[in-house]
Amino acid sequence: MNELTLKWTEAGQSRTQTLNDQHPTKHPGTIRIGRDPTRCDLVLSHPTVSGLHIEIFFNQTKHNFYLRNLRETNPPIINHQKLITGELPLNVGSHLQLGQQQLEVVAVSLSPFLIPPTRLFLPDEAIEIASVNPNPVQYGLQCPKCDRISSYQQLNSGCPWCGTSLAAAISVVLSTEH
């Protein structure tokens, strides 16, 4: 599990919140932060924070947490730079400013990036298999996020549709009929 811990002071009290990429949220795959409790997973009470201000998500392909701005008129400031559009990576020590509310990333814990073991054939075994079955079964990878099927060549570059890492993808049999 991948986790990120934020720390801030609200109403004179120090607060911390650990966010992770497996926790069920109101908008799956992201943790939304703002003042509106009906739309946000982490609610901040400072009046300068927008109702729906930012979202934090784990980018499987880049294996890191990122922040995305959700308010053009009240953009967050990340490490003293306004983020009008796009997204920025978050690391330990990243400073966030939402309106006048200051937050800091105090911890990031990332699971090891693992590729499942693959059965490799020795050259003689491959020749033997090809002679028994001249039309071998073709396999693909089913994206764990969007369920689309990609070729094994996409394993290291991720899903071509949504960018999700295919390291945890399910191997599926592809139809040989066209």
Side-chain angles (χ1 to χ4, degrees):
M1 183 181 324
N2 302 297
E3 296 181 329
L4 177 138
T5 303
L6 292 172
K7 183 178 181 180
W8 70 98
T9 301
E10 191 170 28
Q13 294 192 6
S14 180
R15 300 187 186 267
T16 59
Q17 177 75 44
T18 299
L19 315 172
N20 69 62
D21 62 341
Q22 304 295 315
H23 188 74
T25 62
K26 294 178 181 176
H27 192 273
T30 66
I31 296 99
R32 291 190 163 185
I33 302 174
R35 238 182 30 253
D36 185 349
T38 62
R39 297 186 296 167
C40 297
D41 303 295
L42 176 57
V43 178
L44 301 173
S45 62
H46 199 282
T48 60
V49 174
S50 296
L52 180 58
H53 210 120
I54 62 168
E55 64 185 6
I56 294 175
F57 64 98
F58 187 76
N59 183 317
Q60 296 285 341
T61 305
K62 296 179 181 175
H63 201 66
N64 199 14
F65 283 95
Y66 278 74
L67 179 141
R68 183 178 297 130
N69 177 22
L70 299 175
R71 293 294 302 195
E72 288 183 21
T73 58
N74 188 11
I77 298 172
I78 314 304
N79 297 325
H80 310 291
Q81 294 182 333
K82 281 186 181 183
L83 177 62
I84 305 296
T85 61
E87 49 201 43
L88 286 174
L90 294 174
N91 302 299
V92 173
S94 291
H95 292 276
L96 319 175
Q97 184 176 331
L98 310 180
Q100 293 176 5
Q101 180 67 63
Q102 304 281 332
L103 299 98
E104 181 181 0
V105 177
V106 293
V108 175
S109 173
L110 303 175
S111 299
F113 186 70
L114 301 175
I115 296 177
T118 304
R119 164 90 160 91
L120 299 176
F121 293 100
L122 299 173
D124 292 341
E125 290 177 298
I127 292 168
E128 184 179 323
I129 290 168
S131 66
V132 172
N133 184 2
N135 296 316
V137 175
Q138 298 289 318
Y139 293 94
L141 298 169
Q142 184 175 6
C143 176
K145 184 173 182 182
C146 72
D147 292 326
R148 291 186 175 170
I149 309 298
S150 302
S151 69
Y152 270 93
Q153 287 79 19
Q154 294 295 127
L155 179 62
N156 291 325
S157 57
C159 177
W161 292 278
C162 70
T164 299
S165 169
L166 295 174
I170 298 169
S171 184
V172 295
V173 176
L174 299 174
S175 171
T176 55
E177 298 175 13
H178 292 51

